[in-house]
Amino acid sequence: MTTTTPSPAELDIREPEQTPRRRISWIWLVPLVALGVILSVAWTTYQDRGVLIEIAFENGSGITKETPLKYRDINVGIVEKVSFADGLDVVLVEVRVDKKIVPYLDDDAIFWVVRPNVTLRGVTGLDTVLSGAYIAGKWDTTADVSQTEFIGLENPPLLATN
């Protein structure tokens, strides 16, 4: 009697069927939502930025990055960059100004740096001793064709109240 050992049965090996639900995990939804939130915040921040204007001063004493631009003692802008013009004779100050203020910055707008000053006429700019110098501006309240380049005054105007 011959005995033959039975051979193992053929295995039916098939690739599992992948449904679309199994290919993409729900965990990928979290980074996609986070990316959407980040892009939304970045776009909102970009849209809310003000307009960059340039003011030329003969003397940049006391002006640094983060120096405020004030109108009626309210911050309406902030210095982003201080540099020299060609020839090193003028200090160029780039100020980011609130979008709501820009339409009023026309050809009659004037700017000057407020610093502590002691003269025979009296003491001015005493509030800057602790807070530092700031740029003050004066313009009318009628919206006109706005400008982005200005020449700053070295001394405040005689009637510096806004």
Side-chain angles (χ1 to χ4, degrees):
M1 175 167 124
T2 32
T3 58
T4 59
T5 58
S7 64
E10 285 286 322
L11 292 177
D12 186 19
I13 301 175
R14 289 181 267 165
E15 292 290 322
E17 293 181 23
Q18 291 191 0
T19 62
R21 197 173 134 212
R22 299 233 337 121
R23 281 188 212 148
I24 299 174
S25 175
W26 288 103
I27 197 69
W28 287 105
L29 189 60
V30 173
L32 290 176
V33 169
L35 179 64
V37 169
I38 290 170
L39 290 175
S40 172
V41 168
W43 179 254
T44 303
T45 303
Y46 179 76
Q47 288 293 97
D48 290 342
R49 285 185 340 157
V51 176
L52 200 61
I53 66 168
E54 183 178 82
I55 307 169
F57 290 104
E58 288 181 21
N59 182 357
S61 173
I63 302 174
T64 62
K65 189 175 179 181
E66 306 295 323
T67 298
L69 167 65
K70 293 186 177 186
Y71 175 72
R72 295 185 179 181
D73 290 328
I74 304 293
N75 290 352
V76 294
I78 192 158
V79 172
E80 285 193 357
K81 183 179 176 185
V82 180
S83 62
F84 286 104
D86 294 336
L88 305 178
D89 56 342
V90 176
V91 177
L92 298 176
V93 179
E94 294 182 10
V95 182
R96 180 80 53 188
V97 180
D98 188 350
K99 288 185 344 183
K100 296 176 185 174
I101 302 297
V102 173
Y104 302 101
L105 299 179
D106 50 13
D107 58 347
D108 62 347
I110 56 173
F111 300 93
W112 64 95
V113 179
V114 178
R115 303 178 186 99
N117 191 10
V118 179
T119 63
L120 293 176
R121 294 186 323 179
V123 178
T124 59
L126 197 56
D127 58 334
T128 62
V129 171
L130 296 177
S131 65
Y134 63 89
I135 300 172
K138 183 178 179 182
W139 48 83
D140 60 15
T141 57
T142 307
D144 201 0
V145 178
S146 62
Q147 294 182 350
T148 58
E149 293 182 0
F150 301 93
I151 297 176
L153 303 175
E154 286 308 304
N155 297 311
L158 291 178
L159 299 174
T161 59
N162 290 319

